[in-house]
């Protein structure tokens, strides 16, 4: 696995909350001082909150938290709990009578893994926010990655368990980190070796199939329509404008493309937020290139750290088998 965690970026905290009966959860990426934030939504089936305000021409330019959540659109409710926790700490955009926390969110589909009636809600988001710390470094079946799966072209019976991954990189004083819940329609590859790690699988032989080849050889994709989505955050201590943060989020999507195939389909809602804490001067092209690299590393970590669930195999089951 690749080293590092998004909390290596100064000013960034992470908190998780999950329910293993529902096999779902949420992850909060917190910047109490506020981070200049951008977003890039590349997939065609997204579930998001507060992304319009990240456009360069909009007034607010500091975000206090990003929530990655399971539960499909139901999971957007977790952000309300994060807002409550931050308001109690008097963190947010000052409007005179109170401070309004700016909390963005993106969700993935995991309702078919555990008990679909259990979804991340305001209580779960509140708990995750209170747990947020610099020391958090867990990966795999945790937070938003609890119910994540990959390789769904042949449906749920041939999918594999994935999870939450994180990684970081340092170049001089510049830090760039990523965290991602890997829940893709497509297969996942180690971008350095191009080795297929997880995806559509024949469970009897534990042999990985190739979704791209399957797609070419069938007239109709089975899959999970609108039931996928890889969601992530890149964070940096660089000084960026909101327009530059949007560009970094856009470039970070290349990390998805290097690691997942097929990617950005009509069945995915692939979304990446970019948070900049504004501590060091850095070239936006370097930051974006590192963001792509570190996102690919985080995706690999999320797959390798995942544990199988019931009859859904994980990478670790294939290696040990």
């Amino acid at each position: 696995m690749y080293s590092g965690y998004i909390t290596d970026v100064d000013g960034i905290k992470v908190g998780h909350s999950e329910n293993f009966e529902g096999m779902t959860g949420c992850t909060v990426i917190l910047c109490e001082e506020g981070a200049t934030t951008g977003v890039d939504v590349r997939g065609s089936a997204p579930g998001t909150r507060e992304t319009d305000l990240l456009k360069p021409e909009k007034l607010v330019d500091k975000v206090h938290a990003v929530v990655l959540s399971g539960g499909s659109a139901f999971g957007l409710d977790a952000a309300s709990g994060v807002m409550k926790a931050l308001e109690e700490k008097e963190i947010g955009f000052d409007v005179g009578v109170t401070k309004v926390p700016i909390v963005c969110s993106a969700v993935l589909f995991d309702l078919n893994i555990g008990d679909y009636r259990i979804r991340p809600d305001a209580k779960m988001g509140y708990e995750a926010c209170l747990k947020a710390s610099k020391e958090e470094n867990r990966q795999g079946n945790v937070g938003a990655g609890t119910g994540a799966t990959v390789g769904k072209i042949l449906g749920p019976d041939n999918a594999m368990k994935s999870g939450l991954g994180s990684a970081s990189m340092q170049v001089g004083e510049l830090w760039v980190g990523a965290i991602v819940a890997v829940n893709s329609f497509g297969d996942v590859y180690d971008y350095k070796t191009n080795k297929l790690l997880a995806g559509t699988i024949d469970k009897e032989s534990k042999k990985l199939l190739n979704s791209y080849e399957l797609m070419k050889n069938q007239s109709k994709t089975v899959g999970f329509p609108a039931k996928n989505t890889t969601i992530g955050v890149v964070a940096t201590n660089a000084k960026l404008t909101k327009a530059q943060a949007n560009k970094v989020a856009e470039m970070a999507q290349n990390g998805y493309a290097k690691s997942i195939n097929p990617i950005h389909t009509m069945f995915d809602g692939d979304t990446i937020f970019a948070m900049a804490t504004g501590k060091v001067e850095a070239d936006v092209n370097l930051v974006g290139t590192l963001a792509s690299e570190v996102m690919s590393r985080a995706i690999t970590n999320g797959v390798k750290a995942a544990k199988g669930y019931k009859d859904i195999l994980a990478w670790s089951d294939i290696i040990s088998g």
Side-chain angles (χ1 to χ4, degrees):
M1 293 175 63
Y2 295 103
S3 63
Y5 207 81
I6 194 172
T7 50
D8 291 330
V9 177
D10 187 38
I12 298 295
K13 297 180 179 179
V14 169
H16 305 295
S17 185
E18 55 277 316
N19 183 297
F20 291 109
E21 183 181 351
M23 282 304 289
T24 192
C26 63
T27 295
V28 178
I29 300 89
L30 182 64
C31 184
E32 295 170 340
E33 296 179 357
T36 303
T37 301
V39 68
D40 188 84
V41 181
R42 197 68 59 91
S44 295
T48 58
R49 167 180 168 145
E50 293 279 44
T51 52
D52 277 354
L53 64 79
L54 301 182
K55 295 177 181 178
E57 71 273 16
K58 304 303 182 184
L59 174 65
V60 175
D61 65 349
K62 299 289 186 182
V63 167
H64 303 98
V66 173
V67 183
L68 306 179
S69 180
S72 190
F74 295 111
L76 291 171
D77 191 35
S80 298
V82 176
M83 287 191 70
K84 180 176 185 293
L86 292 178
E87 184 186 23
E88 289 175 355
K89 295 181 179 181
E90 298 185 347
I91 295 171
F93 182 72
D94 195 341
V95 294
V97 293
T98 188
K99 291 185 178 179
V100 180
I102 307 301
V103 180
C104 300
S105 182
V107 295
L108 57 80
F109 184 93
D110 57 7
L111 298 178
N112 60 318
I113 305 302
D115 185 341
Y116 73 92
R117 296 166 295 185
I118 300 173
R119 305 110 180 207
D121 54 13
K123 180 182 178 182
M124 193 177 288
Y126 184 85
E127 292 172 350
C129 190
L130 294 184
K131 292 176 183 176
S133 74
K134 289 288 294 180
E135 288 69 44
E136 179 59 73
N137 61 4
R138 288 176 295 162
Q139 303 188 63
N141 297 13
V142 63
T146 302
T149 53
V150 297
K152 303 166 193 175
I153 193 169
L154 296 182
D157 291 339
N158 297 92
M160 284 183 65
K161 187 71 184 71
S162 183
L164 185 89
S166 188
S168 67
M169 297 179 66
Q170 181 182 16
V171 176
E173 294 183 340
L174 174 65
W175 278 94
V176 180
I179 194 165
V180 59
V182 189
N183 192 63
S184 57
F185 171 76
D187 303 328
V188 178
Y189 295 78
D190 186 319
Y191 80 108
K192 282 289 190 183
T193 65
N194 204 36
K195 181 178 180 181
L196 181 56
L197 298 175
T200 309
I201 190 169
D202 182 324
K203 290 182 180 177
E204 294 298 321
S205 65
K206 292 188 177 180
K207 178 182 178 183
L208 285 167
L209 307 176
N210 186 308
S211 293
Y212 173 59
E213 294 299 328
L214 290 170
M215 182 178 286
K216 289 194 298 182
N217 292 321
Q218 63 184 39
S219 59
K220 181 180 179 182
T221 300
V222 179
F224 293 11
K227 297 179 181 179
N228 306 287
T229 298
T230 298
I231 50 178
V233 174
V234 292
T236 179
N237 62 349
K239 295 179 181 179
L240 299 177
T241 66
K242 192 155 61 166
Q244 289 174 326
N246 276 283
K247 183 62 179 179
V248 169
E250 177 185 309
M251 293 176 72
Q253 289 275 8
N254 294 330
Y256 282 8
K258 288 187 293 187
S259 298
I260 302 170
N261 190 36
I263 188 64
H264 305 146
T265 72
M266 295 298 293
F267 304 139
D268 292 295
D270 304 319
T271 301
I272 295 178
F273 295 91
M275 305 175 72
T277 61
K279 305 296 183 183
V280 302
E281 297 288 346
D283 178 70
V284 65
N285 300 292
L286 174 60
V287 177
T289 301
L290 294 177
S292 172
E293 167 92 9
V294 79
M295 182 58 76
S296 283
R297 293 185 178 193
I299 289 170
T300 295
N301 288 348
V303 167
K304 290 189 174 181
K307 303 298 181 184
Y309 175 72
K310 294 186 176 179
D311 64 341
I312 306 175
L313 300 176
W315 175 84
S316 56
D317 298 316
I318 297 174
I319 297 301
S320 62

